[in-house]
């Protein structure tokens, strides 16, 4: 799978209460309050991640059929988005089993419109892509809901290569959210520029999903 690189900047030490004093303060909080804080963070994460998935589903579903069939760039980007949404939700990633088959091909064997080396084994329909995304949406919600102090220590680790990803579960979730929204925005731009159609913005998960 493609393995992106990201640098990490050194952050200056912040002036404020010591870590020990902060931890001591947290330890004194009632368990109920700690759970409420944890629940709130998970709810916020899902509200925004789910909204990104909803926007991706929405733009694919409402893409006119003739445009979807003739604009291969749109198709390959939609396929890429569906595959990687599922992949980045799979922990550990070696358990990844895509619902839509693909083959990794060298550059000279790839269609000109492809955006990476993962080439679908056939041209899938809008409904197949949307159904895949909806299943990944459920998978994402379950993963976020299941976050605990114990599961937060899990990592998304691809291997030991120089470009392999090794991210904490929270970071891979945020990375996946950014990746999903990035391509949803590109697909929306295609529709806006080529067809002069505007797709809905989702503020939080579920506010447009009932329409798709």
């Amino acid at each position: 799978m493609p393995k992106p690189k990201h640098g990490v900047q050194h952050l200056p030490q912040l002036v404020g209460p010591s870590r020990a004093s902060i931890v001591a303060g947290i330890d004194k909080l009632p368990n109920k309050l700690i759970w409420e804080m944890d629940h709130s963070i998970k709810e916020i994460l899902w509200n925004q991640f789910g909204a990104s998935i909803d926007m991706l589903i929405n733009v694919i579903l409402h893409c006119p059929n003739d445009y979807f069939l003739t604009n291969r760039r749109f198709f390959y980007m939609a396929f890429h988005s569906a595959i990687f949404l599922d992949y980045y939700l799979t922990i550990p990633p070696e358990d990844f089993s895509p619902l839509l088959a693909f083959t990794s091909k060298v550059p000279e064997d790839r269609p000109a419109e492809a955006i990476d080396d993962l080439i679908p084994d056939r041209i899938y329909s809008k409904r197949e892509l949307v159904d895949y995304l909806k299943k990944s949406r459920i998978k994402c919600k379950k993963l976020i809901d299941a976050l605990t102090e114990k599961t937060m220590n899990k990592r998304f680790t691809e291997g030991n290569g120089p470009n392999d990803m090794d991210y904490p579960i929270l970071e891979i979730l945020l990375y996946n959210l950014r990746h999903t929204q990035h391509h949803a925005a590109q697909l929306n731009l295609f529709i806006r520029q080529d067809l002069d159609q505007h797709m809905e913005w989702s503020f939080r998960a579920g506010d447009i999903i009932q329409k798709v």
Side-chain angles (χ1 to χ4, degrees):
M1 309 290 287
K3 300 175 180 64
K5 298 179 181 179
H6 291 285
V8 179
Q9 294 182 334
H10 177 70
L11 298 178
Q13 184 174 0
L14 300 178
V15 177
S18 68
R19 182 181 184 278
S21 65
I22 293 174
V23 172
I26 292 175
D27 287 342
K28 294 179 182 179
L29 292 174
N31 289 337
K32 180 180 179 181
L33 180 57
I34 293 175
W35 163 246
E36 288 176 350
M37 291 167 59
D38 176 63
H39 179 72
S40 176
I41 291 172
K42 291 193 291 186
E43 183 178 23
I44 290 169
L45 179 58
W46 168 245
N47 279 340
Q48 296 307 311
F49 201 155
S52 292
I53 299 173
D54 291 349
M55 291 182 68
L56 180 57
I57 292 173
N58 191 56
V59 70
I60 294 172
L61 189 63
H62 288 94
C63 171
N65 289 329
D66 56 347
Y67 184 83
F68 182 82
L69 293 173
T70 57
N71 191 316
R72 283 289 179 259
R73 190 70 167 177
F74 186 99
F75 166 77
Y76 282 113
M77 189 169 292
F79 176 80
H80 168 94
S81 303
I83 288 294
F84 276 90
L85 173 62
D86 185 16
Y87 174 65
Y88 292 136
L89 289 171
T90 306
I91 300 173
E94 56 262 29
D95 291 343
F96 178 55
S97 180
L99 300 183
L100 299 179
F102 61 82
T103 302
S104 180
K105 296 188 177 182
V106 295
E108 55 268 26
D109 292 335
R110 301 171 195 168
E113 302 88 352
I115 65 171
D116 61 21
D117 63 325
L118 307 184
I119 308 304
D121 288 356
R122 62 179 174 84
I123 300 300
Y124 298 106
S125 67
K126 289 197 307 179
R127 176 49 59 187
E128 287 175 304
L129 290 174
V130 167
D131 286 347
Y132 191 4
L133 288 169
K134 286 185 175 181
K135 290 176 181 177
S136 292
R137 187 182 191 275
I138 294 171
K139 181 178 179 178
C140 182
K141 181 69 161 59
K142 288 181 177 179
L143 180 61
I144 292 173
D145 285 345
L147 289 177
T148 64
E149 183 178 356
K150 182 178 180 179
T151 60
M152 287 285 281
N153 292 325
K154 292 184 178 180
R155 301 184 71 86
F156 180 91
T157 304
E158 292 180 314
N160 299 316
N163 296 325
D164 287 339
M165 299 174 75
D166 182 11
Y167 291 178
I169 189 170
L170 180 58
E171 186 171 1
I172 196 63
L173 282 168
L174 293 175
Y175 179 92
N176 199 357
L177 187 160
R178 291 178 54 239
H179 183 265
T180 299
Q181 188 61 49
H182 170 71
H183 289 302
Q186 290 178 313
L187 293 173
N188 273 275
L189 184 62
F190 284 154
I191 297 297
R192 190 61 177 262
Q193 288 183 332
D194 295 344
L195 304 175
D196 195 26
Q197 293 184 14
H198 170 72
M199 296 294 165
E200 284 191 81
W201 169 262
S202 177
F203 289 90
R204 284 179 166 177
D207 63 0
I208 64 172
I209 195 64
Q210 65 274 10
K211 302 176 183 179
V212 302

